[in-house]
Amino acid sequence: MGLVLSAVPAAGSEDPVKVTLFPFRVNAQTQYAYLEKEITVVIQDRLRKEGIRVMVPGKAVTGADTAAMTRAARDLAVQNESTHAVWGSLTQVGQRFSIDARVMDVSADTFPASLTVGGERIETLLGAVKKLADELMLRILKQEKVVSVTVSGNKRIEKDAVLRIVQVKPGDPYRLKALSEDLNRIYRMGYFEDVRVDAEDVAGGKALIFRIREKPTIRKIRFKGNRVYDEKELLENIDIRSGSILNIFKVKSNLKRIEDLYKKKNYHNAEVSYEIEALKNNQVDLEFVISEGKKLRIQTITFEGNTVFDAKTLKKVMSTSEKGLFSFITSSGDLDRDKLAQDKEALAAYYQNHGYLNARVSDPEVKYEEDGIEVIFKISEGPRYTVGTVTLSGDVEDKAALKEKLAITKKTYFSRKTVRKDVLALTDLYSDQGYANVEIFPKVNENPETRVVAIDYRIRKGPLVSFEKILISGNRKTRDYVIRRELKVYEQERFSSTRLKRSVRNLYRLDYFEDVKVQTQKGTTEDQMVLKIDVTEKSTGSFSIGAGYSSEDDFFAMASVTQRNLFGRGQIVSLQANVGGRSDRYNLSFTEPWLFNIPLSGRVDLYRWIKDYDTYDKDATGGGLRLGYPLWTDYLRFTVGYAYEISNIEDIQEDAPPSIKDFEGTNTQSTVSADLRWDSRNRIFNPTEGSEHRFTVEYAGFGGNIAFTKYIGKTGWYFPIFKGTVGFLHAKAGYVEENPGGRLPDWERFYLGGISSLRGFKYRSVSPKNEDGIKIGGNKFIQFNAEYLVPLFPDMGIFGVAFFDTGNAYNNDEDIELSNMRESAGLGFRWFSPVGPIRLEYGLILDRQEDESAGRWEFSMSTGF
């Protein structure tokens, strides 16, 4: 960037300038007399901005003629030790006005210079006075005026784009500082390699010419040395494009972008430079030169200064881990600086939660070696503190009762985590009573000599608060009443944080919304609150088609149309078809979750199910009605139902259970059922915590030739373990007996085996046998399943699973014995896809018998225990 200027006198290079500014006389109508002061103030402010000292006498210059006025002005200016004197007058004739000014250099024996500005209408006077002030400033400082401002050298950039940046305009004083600032403004546009300004003498002042040389444009962007990423991926991750102007600062920032991109794939030693090839027509080719280096993962994590906890214990606290056998799947050994920073805090918290109140962990030191990365944490443990006296102060009525609820009183050693939990528990306790603005401050007093911590929970409960209004927004489809009926808080009732949290959970469990945001704000009075619930809706309708393979149905094709929020009323309608090698299923269902505007759910089903069992075929058509109602809590629901089915049994094989032959032809089944279910899972699909328990009783025999009573109970528990992994324990048992006046069909007896019971065993292969060795199904069964789910690609809903299954089915004359239960174990993958869970698992039979294979693959879509 350059500057070419002719020499000009610099303001302030000689003695300081001081001006005596006389008030301007006003020759106009009486109502404009105030302008005498206004004109003086405007001129005074303009001169002072340039560093000129200004003295304003109390009266205007007077005299018999111009010479006398000049002598009077000079004498008073000399008396004030001023270098210049300024005086003048305003004259108005009709709509026109004229301002005449005199400016005199006191030290020079010359006549005063005359300056005149004019205009029409008194409203434009202020602009004219400012113009006069600029002219006076130029005369006093002996500065030249900028006559014109032009741009040259530009080829692609419009002149107007440059001139819009330039602050110096024609008529302004010619000053070096202002020009230097304009040069910087032009250069910061980023389009130019060089910017200069020439100042040429012309009539009336200076002509300014900004001479610019534009930066070249990028014709092509190339990459050299890249193998991990292809050119398309690299281009997507930089913000430079072909045709853009070459900006070296931007090029250098993109070097860092590319290096960061490589670090994501563990190429931490990757280095990126650039080369520029000059071309004709002010163009260049830009080439990024990449040295990828070796892929590096974390080989070792070490700790220095730890004496209380060993390295194995501390590593379990961290989300960062060392390289493992399955690093290519699990990402173990990946270096993530953000996670390392979180691990530092997690390690410090672990110590502080075990009594080491002053434990400190340094920033991790990362060493890059040839074969991998070493991460070192330096730890200062400090002394361990025990829990001393625990007190409550402030707004406390029953201290003894509240103290019993504090978990810290049951701890030997101090724990920040426990203190935080106590604060939350006390907060919930008070807020559930309506104290929405309760404040609880734990005061921790440590005694370094005794190593004992005293804790005082200071409570300020504030006023009782009620919900003044509940406002709902964001629901473009879902009707307000569908949302409100899931809320456990109500207008004009007391605030409760527990019921508010439960309300939010209920809204998420509807599965109508991607996000639910809750905000509270003060109401019209201090004891009232406005609750705002803003929901973000997601699609609740789905249409899916697909094909696959199931261990139960062989190859199959499926199609379904489902709307879970019909017309925004929360109703569910579904039409499904599944056509497979061993079964065809068609089902139409409609569910109303709130019959008669109460939480009474009603469901109607119509179905057709053609099933090819191993030894016979069943073609059934039927329908059912179910009614459900919550008991005491939303988690517990009681359902009663009625189902009617007409089935046809045919193609009975020789090795079929003997009892099935009595059902050949048409059969009628009329069944009532009762179901008690507890479901506290946090999600329907892929839950991470909560439980589901269910007990069902079915009674068949209200007409028809089928009569039985069946009891089935099951329980399932989900619990988080660590680092996103989840444990699942499941148990299920059942009993069925034949009722008088009818028969118990084979398809209502119990068989185990397959992906929904004992994996690795063939579908319906675990069963008691008669004396001829034919499988006849059990009248009772028991099964247990244990799973451990590991997130592989959690954003995509893909998990790995390890499992253990055990169970068996028993005949009427057999007792359930845990010693003869069948067992299997295995591994698999699970994808919680948009169309439902997809499972691929291999089960290995642990107690294999002669007629069984070692194990088998299991595949299914939208099935579970």
Side-chain angles (χ1 to χ4, degrees), residues 46 54 163 212 323 339 471 521 574 587 674 676 687 717 741 803 825 856:
R46 182 67 181 93
V54 181
L163 290 175
I212 59 179
K323 178 183 178 182
K339 285 186 178 180
L471 306 178
Q521 64 183 40
S574 177
N587 188 80
L676 188 64
W717 300 81
F803 62 84
R856 59 190 279 118

Side-chain angles (χ1 to χ4, degrees), residues 512-526:
Y512 300 163
F513 312 113
E514 288 182 359
D515 191 22
V516 179
K517 294 180 180 178
V518 175
Q519 291 182 328
T520 57
Q521 64 183 40
K522 187 177 179 181
T524 53
T525 60
E526 189 177 345

Side-chain angles (χ1 to χ4, degrees), residues 398-470:
D398 190 345
K399 293 185 179 181
L402 281 181
K403 193 172 180 179
E404 282 295 317
K405 298 181 181 296
L406 298 178
I408 195 65
T409 60
K410 302 171 182 64
K411 294 283 186 179
T412 302
Y413 296 102
F414 177 80
S415 169
R416 291 193 185 278
K417 181 179 180 180
T418 304
V419 171
R420 285 195 297 269
K421 285 184 177 179
D422 283 344
V423 170
L424 292 175
L426 290 173
T427 301
D428 286 343
L429 188 65
Y430 273 85
S431 63
D432 284 345
Q433 296 173 11
Y435 297 102
N437 301 314
V438 62
E439 295 178 339
I440 299 173
F441 308 94
K443 177 66 176 177
V444 178
N445 296 310
E446 57 185 278
N447 189 327
E449 295 181 0
T450 61
R451 297 182 180 179
V452 174
V453 173
I455 308 166
D456 180 35
Y457 293 91
R458 300 178 178 180
I459 301 173
R460 187 167 66 236
K461 62 185 182 182
L464 285 168
V465 177
S466 300
F467 288 109
E468 180 181 8
K469 294 179 182 178
I470 299 177

Side-chain angles (χ1 to χ4, degrees), residues 738-764:
E738 187 174 275
N739 293 338
R743 300 293 305 275
L744 172 64
D746 174 74
W747 61 84
E748 295 291 354
R749 296 179 70 85
F750 299 120
Y751 294 82
L752 298 184
I755 199 165
S756 298
S757 56
L758 303 183
R759 286 158 284 193
F761 293 89
K762 188 177 178 182
Y763 175 59
R764 287 171 59 94

